[in-house]
Amino acid sequence: MKQSEKAITDFSGYRAIGRLCFVLAIFSLLVFAFLIGSYQGLTAALLAFSVCLIAVFTNRIFSLLVFRNRLAPTYYTLIGMLLRMGLPLGLCMALALTQSPLLDQGFAYYLIASYLIVLAVDVSMTLFKLKMEPAA
């Protein structure tokens, strides 16, 4: 492998920085939630973060098992957006309709913050994967 090809496909340093930023962002969110709302706020933030992670994992599993890269990138992106946004927003709407006490603890705000953090990590992982795979 030539030096220029190795430089293009070696993203281990960037991945380490990305993981560190992800951990710091989530830790900051959870500490903030605990300081603002004690254990109830921490519970709401953990639930919001878990819902966002489940939505991303559902998107990844669904795309691997069902689509297997047979769709055009545009359709793949649109379906991914639907899956990543549908679960968190659907849960937030269900909690609003039932007037859940989680919303009083700031669940919707933590959901937005968690969604943005998880989305940034998911998109960066996808971009690193695309950069590492050679074009056919």
Side-chain angles (χ1 to χ4, degrees), residues 32-42 105 110:
F32 179 76
F34 180 74
L35 291 175
I36 297 296
S38 186
Y39 289 106
Q40 292 87 6
L42 183 62
Q105 298 302 321
Y110 299 132

Side-chain angles (χ1 to χ4, degrees), residues 61-133:
I61 290 171
F62 191 70
S63 64
L64 285 175
L65 294 178
V66 175
F67 301 124
R68 298 181 195 225
N69 297 328
R70 291 179 298 201
L71 293 175
T74 306
Y75 296 124
Y76 183 77
T77 303
L78 290 174
I79 292 169
M81 287 172 52
L82 176 68
L83 289 173
R84 280 191 304 236
M85 292 172 68
L87 183 62
L89 289 177
L91 179 65
C92 196
M93 285 178 53
L95 290 176
L97 290 174
T98 60
Q99 298 175 349
S100 173
L102 274 175
L103 292 176
D104 295 335
Q105 298 302 321
F107 176 79
Y109 301 116
Y110 299 132
L111 186 70
I112 293 168
S114 298
Y115 178 78
L116 292 175
I117 293 168
V118 171
L119 180 67
V121 170
D122 186 40
V123 167
S124 65
M125 285 175 48
T126 303
L127 289 176
F128 284 141
K129 182 181 174 189
L130 289 175
K131 289 274 188 178
M132 291 183 77
E133 292 178 0

